């Protein structure tokens, strides 16, 4: 009788620890997802201000940029490439449709509309994949149009 109670008690403790661990893991994942979303939104906010220096500060030194037109690497070079976009298309803005943070890493897939705000009203449907380092700096920007 005591042995059965002891076994049942141990089983209850194991179940409770499992539930507690799962709940804590879920809290951690939720916090991580919020952090990733915030980092991605900050990138788009700075981008929409056409703040080249601000973008450079968000980038890791070894950041890479790849889209359908160009491929660049290094914080200064990637920031300058964005600056060229701002000069060439001065009214360009990004509208964030949805952010999809990964649950297994520091990556956010970003469904966006790139609005050229030109006479033709050109809007590009784009998915940006943003990868961050442990310090929250952007390691990679990969953009896909379509």
């Amino acid at each position: 009788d005591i042995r059965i109670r002891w076994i049942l008690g141990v089983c209850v403790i194991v179940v409770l620890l499992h539930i507690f661990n799962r709940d804590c893991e879920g809290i951690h994942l939720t916090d991580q997802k919020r952090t990733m979303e915030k980092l991605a939104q900050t990138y788009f906010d700075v981008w929409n201000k056409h703040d080249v220096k601000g973008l450079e500060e968000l980038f890791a030194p070894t950041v890479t940029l790849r889209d359908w037109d160009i491929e660049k690497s290094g914080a200064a070079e990637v920031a300058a490439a964005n600056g060229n976009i701002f000069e060439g298309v001065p009214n360009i803005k990004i509208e964030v449709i949805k952010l999809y943070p990964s649950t297994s890493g520091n990556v956010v897939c970003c469904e966006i509309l790139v609005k050229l705000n030109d006479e033709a009203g050109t809007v590009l449907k784009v998915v940006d994949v943003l990868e961050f380092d442990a310090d929250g700096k952007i390691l990679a920007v990969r953009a896909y149009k379509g």
Side-chain angles (χ1 to χ4, degrees):
D1 193 34
I2 289 179
R3 208 180 269 171
I4 292 174
R5 286 184 182 179
W6 183 83
I7 291 171
L8 287 174
V10 169
C11 289
V12 167
I13 290 170
V14 168
V15 168
L16 289 174
L17 286 173
H18 177 73
I19 291 169
F20 178 75
N21 186 45
R22 187 186 68 218
D23 288 346
C24 288
E25 188 175 289
I27 290 168
H28 172 71
L29 288 176
T30 300
D31 289 345
Q32 180 183 0
K33 287 174 70 174
R34 281 191 199 123
T35 298
M36 292 295 104
E37 287 175 345
K38 183 178 177 184
L39 291 170
Q41 188 60 57
T42 297
Y43 167 72
F44 292 117
D45 292 345
V46 172
W47 200 95
N48 277 335
K49 292 177 186 172
H50 297 191
D51 182 356
V52 175
K53 183 67 176 158
L55 286 173
E56 188 172 351
E57 292 172 3
L58 295 177
F59 295 145
T62 58
V63 64
T64 58
L65 166 67
R66 185 181 71 222
D67 68 16
W68 53 92
D69 284 332
I70 62 170
E71 196 164 327
K72 300 289 180 183
S73 62
E77 193 172 328
V78 172
N82 281 280
N84 291 337
I85 293 170
F86 304 148
E87 288 176 18
V89 190
N91 296 321
I92 194 168
K93 295 287 182 198
I94 289 176
E95 178 185 336
V96 177
I97 302 300
K98 181 83 173 149
L99 300 173
Y100 301 92
S102 169
T103 58
S104 61
N106 294 336
V107 175
V108 182
C109 292
C110 312
E111 184 181 356
I112 61 175
L113 297 176
V114 179
K115 298 181 175 186
L116 303 187
N117 292 310
D118 57 5
E119 289 181 17
T122 307
V123 177
L124 305 176
K125 295 177 181 176
V126 176
V127 172
D128 273 1
V129 178
L130 304 178
E131 184 177 350
F132 298 90
D133 67 14
D135 296 323
K137 297 287 187 177
I138 299 172
L139 284 172
V141 179
R142 295 181 295 276
Y144 304 93
K145 182 172 70 168

